[in-house]
Amino acid sequence: NSLQTSHPPPYSPLFRMTDADVIVKLKSSDDREFEVEKKVAEMSVTVKNMLSDLGWEENEEAFPLPGIEGSTLEKVIHYCEKHCDDPVSSQPQTQELTEPTGFDAEFLRDIDQTSLFNLILAANFMDIKPLLDLTCKKVALMIKGKSVDEIRETFNITNDFTPQEEQQVRRDNEWLDSK
């Protein structure tokens, strides 16, 4: 009797696919499809819930993400690929308004306002808290230390208050000026 070496059958506990082996397809509102590792896709709580609720099998149709254009979804995926292996902290995050560093700083460096707001909407819809926190922090940094008029100019906001209405709002919110 000779010893034979064989590979375990695919159903064997010795041969398990990891999340890195499983591919999930995501489809943007402009019909672009993206194939990503399951662990990357599951940074989105929305996608993770869809995967588990629908009993998803690999090679099924792409998950539609309405309202998220391909160019935005591409950025979301890039962010998730860089952060999918980050440890999940149970510690509450500090809400200090500091500039991002490393990859996050580079990720946001030359982003225009439209892309930034599209990322905020996508992160919110897809429920990707770290990306939502990062993009909202960027907006907060854009506002920090600016007057109302400077903020209006930065975000191209038209003042539709009459002078009397604006004066009333300032009176009602005088306590804000004391900070």
Side-chain angles (χ1 to χ4, degrees), residues 15-119:
F15 186 80
R16 293 190 187 227
M17 292 181 76
T18 66
D19 283 350
D21 298 323
V22 177
I23 299 298
V24 175
K25 295 177 194 165
L26 304 175
K27 188 175 187 178
S28 65
S29 63
D30 52 354
D31 291 327
R32 288 180 58 193
E33 281 194 17
F34 298 87
E35 292 186 353
V36 298
E37 293 177 12
K38 184 179 180 189
K39 69 178 183 176
V40 172
E42 286 187 337
M43 277 198 66
S44 162
V45 174
T46 302
V47 172
K48 186 175 186 172
N49 289 341
M50 287 192 318
L51 289 171
S52 65
D53 292 350
L54 299 175
W56 177 86
E57 296 290 328
E58 188 174 15
N59 297 322
E60 286 194 17
E61 287 191 33
F63 283 105
L65 296 167
I68 302 175
E69 291 183 2
S71 59
T72 301
L73 185 53
E74 193 170 15
K75 288 180 177 83
V76 169
I77 291 168
H78 182 59
Y79 175 86
C80 291
E81 286 172 340
K82 294 293 184 186
H83 287 285
C84 67
D85 292 322
D86 290 356
V88 179
S89 173
S90 59
Q91 301 295 320
Q93 298 249 341
T94 61
Q95 295 301 315
E96 288 181 42
L97 203 51
T98 57
E99 290 286 340
T101 59
F103 169 80
D104 291 349
E106 187 64 33
F107 182 73
L108 294 175
R109 175 162 290 126
D110 296 321
I111 195 165
D112 61 87
Q113 282 186 18
T114 301
S115 297
L116 178 61
F117 288 115
N118 286 338
L119 270 176

